[in-house]
Amino acid sequence: MQGKIELKVPEFVKEAVTTLEIKETDFSSKSKNWNIQGTIALGLSILAAVAALIYGSFEFNTAAKENIDWFFFSFLLIKGLIVVTLFGAWANHAYNIGNAYMHESLKRSDGIHAINFGKLYLEVYGNDVSQSDMKSIFENWNLESDSAFTKVQKTSFEPKVIEQVTQLVAVISAAAKDTQSKNEEETNK
């Protein structure tokens, strides 16, 4: 039994650590790529907001005063809002996926640590290890825990633009009606 432990365990440990290191590196790399994507999307969102602001101010300055109404204003606002929201949703999704990959990478790193601890235990107490000791030494290296990917929910990165646009249109319509009724009252006086 002791001879089998001395022959097979180092081989198993080496193979397991190598596999976990490859997976850890792969997940870490994917996490980095998704976080870079998120940063790019966030930057594009900010650029789109600034561009929409500049474009809107340019349109207001060049438009004839009689052409500026609530519909024109709403169109410019909604157009910019949709673009910014889409880039924001992309950034949020990318960061969620990047965090999930990092969680998986850290799980692999913890597994490597646990296996190396078991290896150290075997090197120190190698001749006195029983079958039950072997089981308890290596039982925690592959701890089961939920994957972070199960926590990335569809609703957490889905833009809620329609609800926001509906609320915005309702507010703008109410303001337009108030302005129109005030203008009619002034003309009737």
Side-chain angles (χ1 to χ4, degrees), residues 5-84:
I5 289 174
E6 288 177 5
L7 288 175
K8 295 292 182 180
V9 171
E11 181 182 313
F12 165 77
V13 167
K14 183 178 179 183
E15 185 178 320
V17 167
T18 302
T19 302
L20 286 172
E21 284 175 343
I22 290 169
K23 288 285 190 184
E24 189 269 336
T25 303
D26 184 44
F27 286 143
S28 181
S29 174
K30 287 179 180 181
S31 171
K32 182 180 177 182
N33 290 339
W34 276 102
N35 284 321
I36 288 170
Q37 248 189 63
T39 302
I40 290 170
L42 193 57
L44 289 173
S45 178
I46 292 168
L47 286 174
V50 170
L53 183 66
I54 292 170
Y55 176 74
S57 66
F58 175 75
E59 286 296 315
F60 272 111
N61 284 337
T62 58
K65 298 298 178 195
E66 33 313 316
N67 288 342
I68 297 178
D69 58 359
W70 283 107
F71 179 75
F72 178 72
F73 177 74
S74 301
F75 175 73
L76 288 177
L77 187 64
I78 290 171
K79 189 166 74 167
L81 216 130
I82 288 172
V83 171
V84 169

Side-chain angles (χ1 to χ4, degrees), residues 145-164:
S145 65
D146 288 342
S147 171
F149 289 102
T150 61
K151 296 175 185 157
V152 177
Q153 298 173 356
K154 184 177 177 184
T155 57
S156 69
F157 58 83
E158 205 172 73
K160 298 191 179 356
V161 175
I162 296 174
E163 292 171 17
Q164 293 172 348

Side-chain angles (χ1 to χ4, degrees), residues 92-138:
N92 187 23
H93 176 68
Y95 284 133
N96 283 338
I97 299 296
N99 286 339
Y101 273 117
M102 183 52 67
H103 177 264
E104 295 298 317
S105 173
L106 291 172
K107 278 177 44 178
R108 298 321 180 269
S109 182
D110 288 345
I112 293 169
H113 175 73
I115 288 176
N116 283 330
F117 182 75
K119 180 180 169 186
L120 173 67
Y121 185 88
L122 284 177
E123 289 174 1
V124 172
Y125 301 105
N127 293 334
D128 298 330
V129 176
S130 67
Q131 185 177 0
S132 64
D133 288 339
M134 280 297 294
K135 184 178 178 184
S136 66
I137 291 169
F138 289 106

